[in-house]
Amino acid sequence: MRDVRCDKCGKPAVTTFRTYRISLCEACYPRFYEALVRRSIKRHCILRENERVLIAVSGGKDSVALAHVLKKINDFNWSLEMLHINLGTGEYSDRAEKVVKELSEMIEMPLLTVNLADFGFTIKDARMRKRCAACGTAKRYIMNRTARMHGFDVVVTGHTSDDIAAFALKNIVGGNISWILKFKPRAESFAESVVTKARPLFERTEEENRLYVSAENLPLLEDRCPFAPHRDDWKDIVREIERRKTGFTQNFVRGIAKLASEASSEETIGERGVCGVCSVCGEVSSSDVCAFCKLRARIVRDAGGKMWRRMMP
Ligand SMILES: [Zn+2]
Ligand SMILES: [Zn+2]
């Protein structure tokens, strides 16, 4: 960037945020970012003092930024640990695990690693077109189960404002307004076996996270998942609106969070349906068999019975 100076210290700036009307250098940017995350957490009560927090870390920029920033702003006396799920997509998953291990050593934060293979299948085994959906189901299930088994109060993920805005738009267009009423930066547990979930980066953009990871020199998995679609139209649409209307993404996700918190608790409980348990694994489920066990059964069946059946770890 030519001739743009940092508004804090006057050195050459690396970035200008149109949303905040501020230019920052590489040294001042991380402190600014940390202050923004701290403000989100306090304002929206995303995490409370003294909580045991499990951070889901894939090795991508958003979750790497999340683990580091929580460690940096921790005067809330949180007990922080990382969870990495090895999804068994071959070389890509091995590289991801290596990055997360490196981060764990660098920032001195304990790491729990869970292998999807220990549940009897991997994402590579899934022959369906919707591999990403399978991945999401597996991650949500393992995150909740691991957090509960290890006694954590809350499990946090690196979802960004871009992720949430794209998902919300897609759901609004599809007529699925109920999703919006469920979105909260902090979703409290609604059953004993369900751990509270929180998204401390819901007001941050991918670009802000990318800059933070780069300015702090953190280990990062650069390549994309081999099974991910090449482009995400909804995210492209969100970026295009943002380009033309600065601040759209953040205002949109804040609006959604406000709508959700104003929705009556009756509606919210109604949306979750009757809270039962899965007849296969005993985890919480709104139907007889939970989404994870259905997925596993389908993958094992598609593999022509060659796969083994194992007990749950
Ligand atoms: Zn500066
Ligand atoms: Zn189940």
Side-chain angles (χ1 to χ4, degrees):
M1 231 170 358
R2 257 182 312 142
D3 300 334
V4 180
R5 298 268 150 185
C6 174
D7 286 321
K8 303 249 183 211
C9 73
K11 287 190 186 131
V14 288
T15 183
T16 296
F17 288 105
R18 288 198 296 166
T19 327
Y20 315 111
R21 295 196 182 86
I22 193 171
S23 296
L24 293 159
C25 72
E26 201 162 32
C28 293
Y29 173 70
R31 305 297 85 80
F32 178 75
Y33 173 93
E34 285 155 9
L36 288 177
V37 176
R38 167 192 288 279
R39 194 177 68 183
S40 277
I41 289 174
K42 283 196 119 172
R43 186 174 287 172
H44 300 279
C45 302
I46 297 175
L47 294 171
R48 302 186 181 130
E49 282 187 13
N50 306 314
E51 280 188 314
R52 282 198 69 203
V53 182
L54 185 63
I55 310 167
V57 185
S58 66
K61 60 191 179 331
D62 305 318
S63 58
V64 167
L66 176 62
H68 190 266
V69 69
L70 291 184
K71 173 102 186 182
K72 283 297 282 287
I73 64 173
N74 190 6
D75 49 11
F76 297 84
N77 198 31
W78 299 316
S79 157
L80 302 169
E81 285 185 43
M82 294 196 275
L83 165 67
H84 178 69
I85 302 168
N86 188 315
L87 295 155
T89 59
E91 209 196 311
Y92 173 80
S93 291
D94 298 337
R95 276 205 301 280
E97 190 175 328
K98 216 174 131 223
V99 162
V100 179
K101 266 187 190 148
E102 207 183 310
L103 178 71
S104 151
E105 282 159 20
M106 182 178 174
I107 66 175
E108 294 174 340
M109 193 186 284
L111 168 66
L112 276 164
T113 301
V114 175
N115 289 302
L116 180 60
D118 291 341
F119 290 82
F121 69 98
T122 68
I123 293 302
K124 216 176 172 180
D125 299 324
R127 282 210 200 101
M128 59 199 75
R129 274 191 306 156
K130 291 186 172 179
R131 248 179 188 146
C132 289
C135 185
T137 299
K139 281 193 211 165
R140 278 191 296 276
Y141 182 88
I142 292 175
M143 269 190 252
N144 182 66
R145 193 180 165 95
T146 310
R148 191 192 62 239
M149 283 166 77
H150 289 85
F152 285 90
D153 298 307
V154 52
V155 50
V156 298
T157 51
H159 288 105
T160 64
S161 56
D162 316 56
D163 295 326
I164 294 156
F167 196 64
L169 263 186
K170 188 178 164 185
N171 276 283
I172 292 169
V173 172
N176 184 15
I177 303 295
S178 66
W179 178 85
I180 289 184
L181 300 178
K182 283 191 278 184
F183 172 77
K184 289 187 180 82
R186 177 180 171 111
E188 292 294 339
S189 159
F190 57 91
E192 214 176 297
S193 61
V194 179
V195 178
T196 297
K197 286 168 195 70
R199 302 167 181 104
L201 302 184
F202 88 105
E203 292 182 294
R204 304 279 69 75
T205 64
E206 289 180 9
E207 191 50 30
E208 289 169 29
N209 296 341
R210 188 193 314 279
L211 269 170
Y212 183 65
V213 168
S214 143
E216 292 287 281
N217 252 316
L218 303 174
L220 172 67
L221 182 68
E222 299 275 3
D223 40 359
R224 290 163 54 84
C225 169
F227 302 134
H230 292 299
R231 45 183 265 228
D232 182 335
D233 289 338
W234 290 105
K235 265 197 189 166
D236 290 345
I237 291 165
V238 167
R239 283 190 198 110
E240 178 59 19
I241 304 175
E242 178 69 37
R243 195 181 64 76
R244 297 171 64 160
K245 267 274 173 263
T246 302
F248 158 78
T249 318
Q250 280 168 329
N251 288 331
F252 187 44
V253 296
R254 282 178 194 141
I256 292 166
K258 188 162 171 275
L259 269 178
S261 69
E262 284 167 1
S264 73
S265 53
E266 247 171 80
E267 262 175 290
T268 316
I269 290 163
E271 289 304 329
R272 280 175 181 143
V274 182
C275 195
V277 290
C278 170
S279 61
V280 180
C281 71
E283 292 287 334
V284 75
S285 174
S286 52
S287 53
D288 179 44
V289 177
C290 77
F292 182 81
C293 289
K294 277 181 194 156
L295 172 72
R296 180 169 52 171
R298 196 162 63 229
I299 291 176
V300 171
R301 192 190 57 216
D302 289 352
K306 270 180 266 164
M307 291 183 58
W308 69 107
R309 279 173 186 273
R310 271 206 222 171
M311 295 298 290
M312 304 290 276

